[in-house]
Amino acid sequence: MTTTRTLQAATLALCLVTADVVGQVLLYVAPNGNDAWSGRRTTPNATRTDGPFATLTHARDAIRALRHGGPIDQAVTVTVRGGQYFVTETLVFTAEDSGSQTCPVTFRAQPGETAVLSGARPVRGWKPYKGAIIVASLADQGVTQFRFRQLFLRGRRQTLARYPNRDPLHPQTGGFLYVDTPSYREKTAFHFDRGEIPLDEWSDTGQAEVNIFPYNCWDHNIIRVRRFDPETREVWLRYPVAGTINEGNRYFVRNVLDALDAPGEWYVDWGTGELYVYPPDGAIADDEVVVPVVENIVALSGTAANPVRHLTIQGFTLAYAEQDAVVLE
């Protein structure tokens, strides 16, 4: 099953182990920090030659460097001051980052402050496109990965351009088409009613996807379209669905620029990085739209033989990712 999920503005408290601590290695991260500093101070010194780190990734790597000099015989605590930290790659912890029962490792937000780990990038430089639709170039802003399917405006997830449009009064049951009859390729193609999909109005369907509930509607698949055939009224999919496609299965088509016709919808051209948005309530300002630049924000990646142990991550707010906020292996 192909799905996308994002945990927005959630608080993470992954307490894998706790222990009574006597003596600690104390490190700090702050929005006004610098990864070239020692990380041993809570604030920059007067000459700005030392102070906290700027990123959690560097704090993790600093702990790894300490271990390369020999075992750490003290607990390690990284305190992260309040502010927003833009995560440009997933913060991965492996068995190498484990503590011990007597010397655990803790990453924590400063008590009483809000430390946000954001897996998104704000978008600026909006220009008029067509009607109420505006456009911005992601490539001009240093974003290099354009194949995302999540976009947020003022903290709310928006709708990837789709046909039929989402029905806000009936979000669970409205805004669907229904399979006319399955094709003889019952896993990878189906027929639609004549004129049901406005192919004559769509100039480019190269990125089109079908969001479908196949079989007995127990599954939910999002699959790229191989091609539309207006003569046979068939939709051909790039990959087979889970189970089979049955008559009456509900679906909609999405990720087509010409289907961008309703407030709250958006579309990004995977080739050029041009991002199109139909604002839901008038003009938007720079930085009000954010797009994900990481699949996941935090990942703990271990094995049965070599797990991540004695590591605590607590008190953070996680916002925006293409897939999941947290992955545990």
Side-chain angles (χ1 to χ4, degrees):
M1 180 171 62
T2 304
T3 61
T4 55
R5 295 171 297 175
T6 298
L7 177 60
Q8 177 193 358
T11 300
L12 169 65
L14 301 177
C15 299
L16 303 187
V17 71
T18 58
D20 293 331
V21 177
V22 178
Q24 295 189 70
V25 175
L26 300 177
L27 299 174
Y28 300 92
V29 177
N32 60 350
N34 188 322
D35 283 343
W37 293 341
S38 71
R40 299 297 183 117
R41 298 176 57 92
T42 60
T43 58
N45 61 11
T47 57
R48 296 193 64 82
T49 57
D50 194 16
F53 294 137
T55 67
L56 280 75
T57 300
H58 192 79
R60 178 205 61 192
D61 293 345
I63 299 171
R64 291 178 177 178
L66 284 175
R67 285 204 176 89
H68 291 164
I72 301 175
D73 58 0
Q74 291 179 300
V76 180
T77 299
V78 178
T79 299
V80 181
R81 301 301 305 271
Q84 186 161 227
Y85 299 85
F86 291 104
V87 179
T88 58
E89 60 182 17
T90 301
L91 180 60
V92 179
F93 295 95
T94 68
E96 180 182 8
D97 303 302
S98 295
S100 65
Q101 186 170 0
T102 56
C103 300
V105 175
T106 301
F107 283 73
R108 65 168 190 166
Q110 173 71 42
E113 298 182 7
T114 301
V116 179
L117 307 185
S118 174
R121 183 81 168 266
V123 180
R124 305 182 177 95
W126 295 102
K127 299 177 182 178
Y129 171 64
K130 182 188 300 183
I133 301 172
I134 55 178
V135 62
S137 172
L138 297 177
D140 290 348
Q141 301 175 59
V143 178
T144 58
Q145 177 52 258
F146 308 140
R147 293 198 178 199
F148 52 82
R149 293 171 175 80
Q150 309 282 348
L151 179 139
F152 298 86
L153 170 61
R154 304 186 194 107
R156 297 180 64 87
R157 182 184 289 109
Q158 303 300 295
T159 301
L160 182 57
R162 55 172 284 178
Y163 180 86
N165 290 329
R166 179 178 178 273
D167 185 347
L169 297 181
H170 304 93
Q172 303 302 323
T173 59
F176 285 100
L177 301 173
Y178 296 88
V179 171
D180 182 33
T181 56
S183 168
Y184 73 96
R185 296 179 179 270
E186 58 185 11
K187 287 180 173 288
T188 57
F190 61 90
H191 292 92
F192 57 92
D193 282 340
R194 187 172 301 280
E196 189 173 54
I197 300 177
L199 296 176
D200 57 339
E201 300 176 13
W202 292 354
S203 59
D204 184 1
T205 58
Q207 294 182 192
E209 300 170 333
V210 164
N211 192 315
I212 187 169
F213 293 79
Y215 194 45
N216 291 328
C217 300
W218 297 339
D219 293 297
H220 175 208
N221 294 176
I222 302 172
I223 302 176
R224 291 277 304 279
V225 173
R226 183 179 299 276
R227 64 185 174 91
F228 294 97
D229 190 329
E231 296 301 319
T232 63
R233 297 182 292 107
E234 284 182 289
V235 179
W236 292 73
L237 305 179
R238 289 176 180 253
Y239 307 102
V241 301
T244 59
I245 300 175
N246 294 341
E247 181 178 347
N249 284 157
R250 67 188 188 274
Y251 73 96
F252 60 86
V253 181
R254 71 175 196 175
N255 206 19
V256 175
L257 177 58
D258 290 314
L260 178 56
D261 60 359
E265 290 189 341
W266 64 276
Y267 172 89
V268 61
D269 188 309
W270 290 348
T272 66
E274 296 295 299
L275 174 64
Y276 303 84
V277 173
Y278 193 141
D281 51 7
I284 61 176
D286 284 347
D287 297 346
E288 288 190 320
V289 168
V290 299
V291 298
V293 294
V294 296
E295 289 290 305
N296 312 292
I297 299 175
V298 177
L300 275 67
S301 182
T303 65
N306 204 16
V308 183
R309 305 179 67 182
H310 305 289
L311 173 68
T312 299
I313 305 173
Q314 65 182 39
F316 295 95
T317 294
L318 306 182
Y320 316 120
E322 174 65 5
Q323 291 289 342
D324 300 305
V326 185
V327 174
L328 303 178
E329 294 182 305

